[in-house]
Amino acid sequence: MAAAKVAAPKISPVRLEELRDDDAPDFQRGERYDGVRWTKVSADGEELSGSDFIECELNGVSFNEAQLRGATFRECILAEPYAPVFTAARSSWQDVEISNPRWGSAELYEGNWRSVRIDGGKLDYVNLRGSKLMDLQISDCIINELDLGGCAGTRIALKNCTIGTLDVTGAKLKDVDLRTSEFRGINGLAGLAGVVIDDYQLSLMAPLLAGHLGIRVV
């Protein structure tokens, strides 16, 4: 069988220079933070709706139960971000690198993601329902539930990931590469149109596809 042709995500490298260190941040709603580096600080419970983080580096920053609704992250590096409850619905992420996130429930629905890379980490529930995703790569990540229901996604790659349940109900996907990743369950099989899988994954999905199409195997 000829190898499937799938367009890879176009990820722009993030290069940050001349950052200003801030060891005692005074986070405020709707503020713009430009060229700042934070290390091991807490934004737990902060109201940060509509805030802009531009060319910033966040190392080990805790956002547990912070409100980041409508926030913007552009040209940012997030290393080991932590939040048992991460609330960032309708947020925008462009040219962002995230490494080893530790998120429990990540509410990221109706967001806008472009040129984002997530490497490593362990996530419980990632809610990206209704989001617009373009050029997204997730590698070597453990995710208990990844919800892409109703997403419009182009050039997405999941590499060497372990996913409990993948939900693609109502999704519109193009050039989405799931090869090399493992899934225990998939919801919304019709939403897999535009996805590339390998022969082994197809064999595992066969019972699900048969059930979806009403095929009886005896």
Side-chain angles (χ1 to χ4, degrees):
M1 181 181 294
K5 294 183 178 179
V6 54
K10 299 177 180 178
I11 307 294
S12 301
V14 179
R15 297 185 176 90
L16 302 177
E17 299 178 358
E18 300 181 0
L19 299 180
R20 173 175 57 85
D21 290 303
D22 184 0
D23 297 328
D26 180 21
F27 291 116
Q28 299 290 331
R29 175 174 181 159
E31 287 292 317
R32 177 186 172 102
Y33 302 95
D34 199 332
V36 183
R37 179 191 290 115
W38 295 282
T39 302
K40 300 294 184 181
V41 301
S42 173
D44 293 350
E46 296 283 1
E47 172 55 74
L48 297 170
S49 297
S51 297
D52 295 330
F53 298 86
I54 312 298
E55 296 185 1
C56 291
E57 182 176 315
L58 300 90
N59 299 310
V61 175
S62 179
F63 282 110
N64 189 37
E65 296 188 345
Q67 180 55 257
L68 287 157
R69 186 181 185 88
T72 295
F73 292 84
R74 189 169 74 242
E75 295 184 74
C76 288
I77 295 175
L78 286 75
E80 300 183 350
Y82 173 80
V85 178
F86 188 58
T87 306
R90 297 177 179 170
S91 52
S92 297
W93 304 71
Q94 181 173 342
D95 298 326
V96 175
E97 296 179 0
I98 305 172
S99 61
N100 295 309
R102 292 295 186 272
W103 293 336
S105 174
E107 295 294 340
L108 297 160
Y109 59 86
E110 297 179 4
N112 195 325
W113 293 53
R114 188 182 184 98
S115 184
V116 177
R117 187 175 71 198
I118 301 176
D119 293 319
K122 186 174 183 180
L123 315 174
D124 186 17
Y125 173 55
V126 181
N127 181 1
L128 285 164
R129 293 186 71 86
S131 294
K132 295 180 180 179
L133 311 174
M134 181 174 286
D135 298 313
L136 170 63
Q137 178 175 301
I138 305 177
S139 304
D140 303 304
C141 192
I142 299 173
I143 305 176
N144 187 44
E145 183 174 356
L146 177 58
D147 191 345
L148 301 180
C151 280
T154 303
R155 294 192 298 273
I156 299 172
L158 301 183
K159 295 187 175 183
N160 303 314
C161 292
T162 300
I163 312 293
T165 300
L166 173 66
D167 193 333
V168 289
T169 304
K172 296 181 179 179
L173 306 175
K174 181 180 179 182
D175 289 318
V176 176
D177 192 347
L178 302 184
R179 295 172 295 182
T180 75
S181 288
E182 299 178 2
F183 306 89
R184 288 197 299 270
I186 298 178
N187 297 332
L189 290 172
L192 288 175
V195 164
V196 175
I197 60 175
D198 58 31
D199 291 342
Y200 177 67
Q201 289 171 319
L202 178 59
S203 69
L204 296 178
M205 291 181 189
L208 295 174
L209 292 170
H212 174 70
L213 296 171
I215 299 173
R216 295 176 61 196
V217 180
V218 296

